[in-house]
Amino acid sequence: MKECIFCKIANGYLKTDFIFEDENFVVFKDLNPQAPVHLLLVPKQHIVSINDVDDENKKFLANSFVTIKHVSQKLGFDKTGYRTVINTGKDSGQEVQHIHFHILAGRKLGWPPG
Ligand code: AMP
Ligand code: ZN
């Protein structure tokens, strides 16, 4: 966990501009954006993936939906639409082993994803 980049970002050890922060989550821009808007919602607590959701952390993780809604309204892409993605494990291409939502907006998003 000490070497986890998202733990460092979310807990303020790496200077990052947050679009949103509360006691449980931060939202910031993805370093390698795949759309005009590409944000990451990251919990401050180290949870590797959906495979590690349990009765304890599910209580605050559920609030991620409220946070995404709030951020989409704040930036205005709630009107045009957006996509949320959570990659889990090897086949999904999950690179960072700390659970996170991708939030993509600002262009037509193709389906199915690659
Ligand atoms: P995933 O493949 O779902 O694990 O996605 C990891 C995402 O984190 C990728 O889209 C990266 O571009 C992004 N990323 C990695 N390191 C950073 C960083 N330091 N700041 C912002 N985004 C990052
Ligand atoms: Zn972490």
Side-chain angles (χ1 to χ4, degrees):
M1 196 193 309
K2 271 189 190 143
E3 295 310 313
C4 174
I5 184 86
F6 282 1
C7 276
K8 288 181 184 165
I9 290 174
N11 292 286
Y13 297 106
L14 276 179
K15 192 176 151 25
T16 307
D17 288 330
F18 294 143
I19 283 155
F20 174 90
E21 179 178 16
D22 70 6
E23 59 176 333
N24 292 313
F25 300 107
V26 296
V27 176
F28 55 92
K29 289 183 180 173
D30 195 293
L31 204 58
N32 182 23
Q34 301 301 313
V37 177
H38 186 171
L39 309 176
L40 298 171
L41 177 145
V42 175
K44 293 183 175 180
Q45 186 180 320
H46 184 80
I47 298 164
V48 173
S49 77
I50 289 178
N51 290 339
D52 301 286
V53 174
D54 60 26
D55 281 344
E56 271 309 304
N57 60 35
K58 75 178 185 189
K59 290 171 195 155
F60 84 84
L61 281 173
N63 286 330
S64 53
F65 292 101
V66 180
T67 301
I68 291 166
K69 177 180 156 184
H70 171 74
V71 169
S72 74
Q73 290 173 340
K74 185 174 156 187
L75 299 189
F77 57 81
D78 58 317
K79 307 276 193 312
T80 45
Y82 55 96
R83 179 171 296 159
T84 51
V85 175
I86 302 179
N87 291 319
T88 303
K90 193 158 55 74
D91 280 356
S92 76
Q94 182 180 2
E95 284 173 12
V96 178
Q97 305 305 309
H98 180 132
I99 195 170
H100 50 281
F101 273 94
H102 295 258
I103 306 167
L104 299 138
R107 66 167 170 84
K108 284 266 184 206
L109 298 159
W111 191 264

